[in-house]
Amino acid sequence: MLPFTFHAPTRILFGEHTAGSIADVVKEFGGKKSFIVTDANLFKAGVVAPIIESLEAAGLGRTAIFDQVPPDSDIRCVNSAVAMAAEGGCDNIVAVGGGSVIDTAKVVNICLTYGGDMLDYQGLNNLPSKLSPLVCVPTTAGTGSEVSLVAMIKDAEERKKLLFGSRFLAPDAAILDPCLVVGLPPRLTAATGFDALTHSLEALAAVSTSSVISDALALEAAKLIFEHLPAATADGADLEARSHTLVASTMAGLAFTNAGVGIVHAMAHATGARFGTHHGMTNAVYLPYGLEFNLSAVPDKYALAARFLGISRSADDERAAMDLVDGVRKLMQRCHLPSRLREIGVPDIAEGELAELAEAAVTDPAIMFNPREATVEDIGGIFKGAF
Ligand SMILES: NC(=O)c1ccc[n+]([C@@H]2O[C@H](COP(=O)([O-])OP(=O)(O)OC[C@H]3O[C@@H](n4cnc5c(N)ncnc54)[C@H](O)[C@@H]3O)[C@@H](O)[C@H]2O)c1
Ligand SMILES: [Fe+2]
């Protein structure tokens, strides 16, 4: 077996209504005054209420709340939140929301802990020391950001996503409370579930960086998603389905943050930054195409997944790998997900703009883990196929 390093520093707590005891967790990590980061929808819907109650009842002071995180948060949002947190004298951060909220909280924490401009810390391994305590409560079952070592923030002017990656970015604790996910609408449930599925299948295929541990997490996460995402999409109040998809998303997060992602994420980052499409939805559309592109490089890995998921009985790896692609397309249909870029708001673009998008994808950090090298022409072909 080849040598590997596996990071899993985040404490994970799972259970219905666990969010209501968040104060105990914050206290354990030494927090005295929390800065809550969330978005306006969640705040209005009362999803954050049990968290505020718990923190205030525990005498952790009147908490400061920033509820203005937009989907695909950007530099401006992070800067406003940092100003508010600094004024409030907060010493720890609690993130309640989807990936946009959690990533915002991570980068706010960088600025609060070290001071200065966030751009000084972007890229890989540019954080000098441990950050202030950060506890994350995901309200989507998709990004895995509650355990990942990365954050993505949009540079709206440059139309690209900035990557922050460091072992210090892993949150101190992740509280997985399925009750907080019940209000997520069907389309976003399916799309975020496919983000997690893409994490797991891309981590599995990242042959040079994956390990037996990341493979195990990726396979089980994919299985839970195949088994429970249709039910979570059909009935948001199905707490069993919500629980399984929520835990699967965290498992897929651990897998990809150690093994990496690949071509689907590279294309989704480039497309999302340009056209504002939702991250999970964009991954879903590209996923079957990415699998087809990589099939010749990792038929054994895809075959392993297809057999583990019970969607292939073929002893032939290539045949079983094709069954995986087929199974993913069928799961998309069962979850009522669109299968074309034009259905998710991507316009028909001229050759020049397509070349720019493809260039952004081949230079995206996610592509370095892909098992097969992709050229600008390859990406252009996938875009046209998926359009
Ligand atoms: N850091 C990482 O490891 C990582 C990994 C993957 C994706 N991401 C990032 O995460 C972002 C996408 O996050 P996301 O897919 O979780 O979506 P999101 O956080 O952008 O939220 C999408 C929408 O869903 C709503 N929503 C969230 N939870 C809800 C709930 N429980 N009930 C009702 N509405 C709810 C939000 O208000 C928002 O309008 C992208 O910016 C992507 O780049 C980060
Ligand atoms: Fe993702």
Side-chain angles (χ1 to χ4, degrees), residues 25 49 60 67 76 79 102-103 141 150 168 186 198 267 279 305 314 319 333 335 349 364 378 384 387:
V25 181
L60 291 174
D67 68 356
R76 227 176 61 179
N79 285 335
I102 297 177
D103 283 8
V150 293
F168 297 122
T198 309
M267 293 192 71
H279 175 74
S314 176
R319 179 65 257 165
Q333 282 165 7
C335 296
I349 52 176
D364 188 277
D378 292 328
K384 285 181 183 161
F387 184 74

Side-chain angles (χ1 to χ4, degrees), residues 11 31 36 46 88 95 97 123 142 156 168 174 183 218 220 262 272 316 320 362 370-371 374:
R11 184 187 306 180
I36 298 182
F168 297 122
E220 185 62 22
D316 175 65
V362 292
N370 201 61

Side-chain angles (χ1 to χ4, degrees), residues 142-143 195-196 198-199 256 261 265 269 279 283:
T143 71
D195 186 18
T198 309
H199 294 155
F256 95 77
V261 277
H265 267 79
H269 290 153
H279 175 74
N283 274 327

Side-chain angles (χ1 to χ4, degrees), residues 171-297:
D172 294 282
I175 298 186
L176 310 182
D177 183 343
C179 301
L180 268 49
V181 193
V182 295
L184 189 68
R187 201 173 153 91
L188 277 168
T189 298
T192 48
F194 261 74
D195 186 18
L197 181 63
T198 309
H199 294 155
S200 85
L201 295 179
E202 293 210 294
L204 189 70
V207 275
S208 54
T209 40
S210 59
S211 68
V212 66
I213 301 180
S214 62
D215 281 2
L217 287 162
L219 284 168
E220 185 62 22
K223 193 170 193 187
L224 292 175
I225 293 165
F226 263 78
E227 286 174 2
H228 298 281
L229 189 60
T233 304
D235 176 10
D238 180 339
L239 274 178
E240 270 310 295
R242 288 293 193 193
S243 299
H244 284 96
T245 50
L246 185 57
V247 173
S249 147
T250 300
M251 291 166 72
L254 285 170
F256 95 77
T257 206
N258 283 280
V261 277
I263 191 168
V264 177
H265 267 79
M267 293 192 71
H269 290 153
T271 308
R274 227 155 234 281
F275 304 116
T277 51
H278 177 260
H279 175 74
M281 192 70 87
T282 322
N283 274 327
V285 173
Y286 281 132
L287 182 58
Y289 297 92
L291 294 172
E292 277 169 348
F293 178 76
N294 285 337
L295 201 145
S296 60

Side-chain angles (χ1 to χ4, degrees), residues 73 99 103-104 107 150-154 161-164 269 364:
S73 181
D103 283 8
T104 302
V107 182
V150 293
M152 305 283 299
I153 293 293
K154 191 161 69 182
K161 288 273 216 165
L162 303 175
L163 170 76
F164 298 80
H269 290 153
D364 188 277

Side-chain angles (χ1 to χ4, degrees), residues 15-383:
E16 290 173 26
H17 306 294
T18 31
S21 47
I22 192 169
D24 298 340
V25 181
V26 170
K27 271 187 182 166
E28 255 195 72
F29 287 101
K32 295 201 169 50
K33 186 171 183 194
S34 298
F35 182 58
I36 298 182
V37 181
T38 188
D39 71 37
N41 290 338
L42 292 164
F43 189 74
K44 261 190 240 127
V47 174
V48 197
I51 288 138
I52 300 173
E53 269 167 38
S54 168
L55 293 171
E56 294 194 349
L60 291 174
R62 173 110 188 90
T63 45
I65 303 166
F66 180 86
D67 68 356
Q68 292 303 313
V69 178
D72 264 333
S73 181
D74 55 16
I75 295 177
R76 227 176 61 179
C77 166
V78 172
N79 285 335
S80 331
V82 171
M84 186 176 174
E87 197 173 303
C90 302
D91 63 3
N92 69 88
I93 302 187
V94 168
V96 188
S100 300
V101 164
I102 297 177
D103 283 8
T104 302
K106 285 176 169 178
V107 182
V108 167
N109 202 11
I110 293 176
C111 301
L112 271 188
T113 308
Y114 311 133
D117 193 318
M118 78 181 85
L119 297 179
D120 298 340
Y121 302 101
Q122 67 161 313
L124 290 178
N125 302 322
N126 289 329
L127 305 191
S129 56
K130 201 174 162 358
L131 293 159
S132 300
L134 169 65
V135 176
C136 294
V137 189
T139 63
T140 61
T143 71
S145 184
E146 68 280 2
V147 289
S148 80
L149 282 57
V150 293
M152 305 283 299
I153 293 293
K154 191 161 69 182
D155 182 337
E157 274 170 29
E158 297 288 324
R159 295 206 292 178
K160 66 174 188 188
K161 288 273 216 165
L162 303 175
L163 170 76
F164 298 80
S166 160
R167 67 194 168 90
F168 297 122
L169 268 183
D172 294 282
I175 298 186
L176 310 182
D177 183 343
C179 301
L180 268 49
V181 193
V182 295
L184 189 68
R187 201 173 153 91
L188 277 168
T189 298
T192 48
F194 261 74
D195 186 18
L197 181 63
T198 309
H199 294 155
S200 85
L201 295 179
E202 293 210 294
L204 189 70
V207 275
S208 54
T209 40
S210 59
S211 68
V212 66
I213 301 180
S214 62
D215 281 2
L217 287 162
L219 284 168
E220 185 62 22
K223 193 170 193 187
L224 292 175
I225 293 165
F226 263 78
E227 286 174 2
H228 298 281
L229 189 60
T233 304
D235 176 10
D238 180 339
L239 274 178
E240 270 310 295
R242 288 293 193 193
S243 299
H244 284 96
T245 50
L246 185 57
V247 173
S249 147
T250 300
M251 291 166 72
L254 285 170
F256 95 77
T257 206
N258 283 280
V261 277
I263 191 168
V264 177
H265 267 79
M267 293 192 71
H269 290 153
T271 308
R274 227 155 234 281
F275 304 116
T277 51
H278 177 260
H279 175 74
M281 192 70 87
T282 322
N283 274 327
V285 173
Y286 281 132
L287 182 58
Y289 297 92
L291 294 172
E292 277 169 348
F293 178 76
N294 285 337
L295 201 145
S296 60
V298 281
D300 52 334
K301 282 292 187 98
Y302 290 166
L304 178 70
R307 294 180 194 122
F308 186 76
L309 296 171
I311 53 181
S312 183
R313 287 162 172 251
S314 176
D316 175 65
D317 279 359
E318 282 207 10
R319 179 65 257 165
M322 284 191 269
D323 290 340
L324 178 69
V325 185
D326 209 33
V328 166
R329 286 207 162 99
K330 286 190 180 125
L331 184 67
M332 286 177 74
Q333 282 165 7
R334 286 180 70 200
C335 296
H336 308 292
L337 276 166
S339 60
R340 299 254 153 223
L341 290 172
R342 58 172 172 261
E343 294 173 71
I344 63 168
V346 177
D348 195 3
I349 52 176
E351 286 295 327
E353 199 177 353
L354 178 54
E356 273 177 35
L357 182 132
E359 188 58 39
V362 292
T363 52
D364 188 277
I367 203 97
M368 67 183 152
F369 306 103
N370 201 61
R372 181 178 164 200
E373 198 162 331
T375 62
V376 165
E377 290 72 33
D378 292 328
I379 301 276
I382 294 177
F383 180 91

